[in-house]
Amino acid sequence: MKRIAILGSTGSIGVNTLKVISHFPDRFRVIGLTTNSNIELLSKQIKEFKPRFVCVSDNKAGFALRKKLNTANTKLFIGAQGLEALVSIKDIDKIVLAISGAAALLPLLKALERGKEVALANKEALVMAGPLIMDLARKKKTKIIPVDSEQSAIWQCLGEEPRSRLKHIYLTASGGPFRTVSPAALKSISISTVLRHPKWKMGKKISVDSATLMNKGLELLETMFLFGIPSEKIKILIHPQALIHSMVEFIDGIVLAQLSSTDMRIPIQYALSYPQRISNSLPVIDFYKLQELHFAKPDFKRFPCLNLAYRAARELGTMPCVLNAANEVVVSEFLGKRLGFISIPKVIERVMDRHRSKLSPHLSDILAADKWAREEAYKAIRAI
Ligand code: NAD
Ligand code: MG
């Protein structure tokens, strides 16, 4: 029996993780759940899964829950410190990190410091502080198991093969909702069309990132840091069917790919059950019906966020953190209807142009770069 805590249990990955867990009551027990402020859904999850510990990061929502929660069986933590306290609880065997954005960084570092095994869905923390995170995991001899479908695929295909035998990674991308939309039409794109991803149903932030292809840019950096692979060896490949979740090409020309139906519960289940595989009733690919697989080169002109991510991957230091922070601001401004879709890459580029990357940054440098980039992004938006 593995005792699992899910950080960000009220989000898309969190809810899917609970769906997986509910099928295997004799293998997994939910011991901790957290949300930023969605106490309505958290309350339902508490009733169903009876976790011993919960945390609400937002203070106001936390105090509102305290008024109605029966704390005899469930201990409630509140705020950022509360989240760190929950992560440190001895009885937790595995932490699923499904908080979106930079807010995942400190809880992730705390979890690793405590030697916890982490099933990592969040990509922004790795983009911000990949080398720090991976060093800490090595030092504490703990595992980071990828949940993001592409990273799970690469991890499974790489196996124990030494990096010297690797030629390329093909990081696949569905291409998002605007793969075939003309550049002119991108100027007047609405929020609802951005959020309607053709293949995946996800949280709002990652849906916007999928439409700009910044999601793939963030995954380029995620892949680099998670597996220690330079960006020149990572090729982004458009694959609209989203059945191949990525491929690894070795020096002898052999390519291994991981395929499964387009359903996040599959990589989530493997991240929970690893090193075992458990039989389930999730959808499978019908290859007789499928017949063909399609691929294309990404269009870097139409999706400039890809170039920005490769640039951050070359410059390294604090630049990936700056890319991520500026992107979080523009995505939230776009969702608030204060910024047009095509301005997204322009603002990020402006912030990156103004940044002098600090190499081998400490955590304090990363947090300072994150704060600086957010302020610069707001300035750049005002200047548009
Ligand atoms: P979401 O927006 O649906 O959910 C985010 C969760 O994090 C919620 O529970 C929310 O309450 C919590 N949260 C948000 N801000 C917080 C804060 N400041 N402090 C504490 N908790 C906070 O997001 P999602 O789509 O589930 O994605 C989560 C992460 O997983 C992201 O980093 C995303 O890139 C990654 N990911 C998601 C998918 C997917 O299919 N949704 C696939 C691959 C990777
Ligand atoms: Mg992905």
Side-chain angles (χ1 to χ4, degrees):
M1 178 71 87
K2 275 189 203 164
R3 294 164 301 179
I4 314 264
I6 306 170
L7 312 192
S9 64
T10 55
S12 164
I13 291 284
V15 166
N16 274 317
T17 305
L18 286 171
K19 280 186 192 156
V20 170
I21 289 180
S22 63
H23 282 99
F24 305 104
D26 49 339
R27 287 179 186 264
F28 308 118
R29 202 172 86 221
V30 176
I31 182 166
L33 295 175
T34 84
T35 184
N36 185 35
S37 59
N38 189 348
I39 55 173
E40 212 170 293
L41 180 54
L42 183 67
S43 301
K44 285 187 194 145
Q45 294 178 341
I46 293 171
K47 270 203 190 106
E48 188 179 348
F49 293 94
K50 303 183 178 54
R52 274 169 50 208
F53 308 98
V54 294
C55 178
V56 180
S57 293
D58 178 81
N59 286 320
K60 207 171 144 213
F63 291 119
L65 182 65
R66 178 160 287 165
K67 282 192 192 136
K68 39 184 204 177
L69 182 73
N70 173 1
T71 48
N73 302 318
T74 304
K75 183 172 163 55
L76 169 64
F77 296 93
I78 296 175
Q81 282 177 340
L83 190 57
E84 294 203 4
L86 184 145
V87 163
S88 305
I89 287 166
K90 198 168 82 317
D91 291 352
I92 298 173
D93 299 317
K94 194 167 201 158
I95 290 181
V96 178
L97 225 174
I99 292 176
S100 61
L105 177 60
L106 296 179
L108 172 59
L109 290 172
K110 180 57 93 183
L112 295 174
E113 236 170 69
R114 294 284 161 152
K116 306 279 185 202
E117 190 171 296
V118 177
L120 184 61
N122 176 283
K123 58 194 83 180
E124 292 89 346
L126 269 178
V127 171
M128 294 170 77
L132 278 186
I133 292 166
M134 299 314 289
D135 281 351
L136 185 58
R138 265 190 293 274
K139 206 169 99 197
K140 296 285 174 180
K141 298 190 172 56
T142 184
K143 280 196 200 76
I144 298 179
I145 298 172
V147 170
D148 202 352
S149 53
E150 295 78 2
Q151 313 307 320
S152 176
I154 295 165
W155 171 58
Q156 292 178 64
C157 294
L158 270 176
E160 298 296 311
E161 206 73 55
R163 296 294 178 270
S164 57
R165 297 190 196 142
L166 174 80
K167 196 166 170 196
H168 288 120
I169 300 270
Y170 284 101
L171 181 66
T172 53
S174 72
F178 306 138
R179 185 173 54 86
T180 54
V181 168
S182 75
L186 283 180
K187 283 188 185 149
S188 54
I189 232 74
S190 73
I191 293 175
S192 61
T193 48
V194 169
L195 296 183
R196 219 176 297 131
H197 194 275
K199 288 289 169 191
W200 299 100
K201 209 178 163 302
M202 309 177 286
K204 282 186 185 170
K205 196 256 170 187
I206 185 173
S207 298
V208 178
D209 287 344
S210 298
T212 59
L213 292 201
M214 182 56 101
N215 183 50
K216 216 42 60 178
L218 297 175
E219 287 182 4
L220 165 80
L221 290 147
E222 186 187 16
T223 306
M224 281 178 67
F225 296 136
L226 203 48
F227 303 108
I229 295 167
S231 61
E232 313 84 74
K233 289 198 171 182
I234 305 171
K235 291 182 174 181
I236 293 171
L237 178 67
I238 302 293
H239 168 50
Q241 292 147 303
L243 294 171
I244 297 181
H245 298 293
S246 278
M247 302 189 273
V248 172
E249 183 183 357
F250 295 102
I251 46 175
D252 55 5
I254 288 175
V255 179
L256 296 185
Q258 187 259 313
L259 291 82
S260 48
S261 65
T262 316
D263 189 322
M264 279 311 291
R265 288 173 297 176
I266 295 172
I268 290 172
Q269 181 186 307
Y270 190 50
L272 292 176
S273 72
Y274 174 82
Q276 290 181 34
R277 292 191 184 268
I278 319 177
S279 146
N280 61 26
S281 49
L282 293 172
V284 292
I285 302 172
D286 182 342
F287 286 95
Y288 292 121
K289 261 199 200 142
L290 179 66
Q291 294 187 338
E292 287 174 280
L293 287 167
H294 302 286
F295 305 100
K297 251 187 169 175
D299 185 342
F300 281 74
K301 269 213 189 100
R302 233 150 44 89
F303 297 102
C305 285
L306 288 179
N307 279 321
L308 297 176
Y310 271 102
R311 172 177 161 192
R314 281 192 306 273
E315 296 185 22
L316 289 177
T318 43
M319 195 56 97
C321 171
V322 163
L323 168 101
N324 177 67
N327 182 55
E328 286 196 27
V329 170
V330 291
V331 168
S332 128
E333 291 303 286
F334 169 73
L335 287 169
K337 300 191 178 162
R338 293 178 290 274
L339 187 73
F341 186 77
I342 55 162
S343 298
I344 290 175
K346 291 180 192 156
V347 173
I348 301 169
E349 185 171 23
R350 236 178 254 187
V351 177
M352 288 175 74
D353 285 346
R354 289 178 54 78
H355 185 62
R356 270 200 269 126
S357 184
K358 180 163 190 218
L359 292 177
S360 309
H362 297 292
L363 181 60
S364 55
D365 302 317
I366 287 165
L367 297 177
D370 178 81
K371 186 165 175 280
W372 175 88
R374 286 169 198 269
E375 288 162 6
E376 286 297 316
Y378 283 114
K379 275 190 212 160
I381 291 169
R382 281 198 295 273
I384 275 180

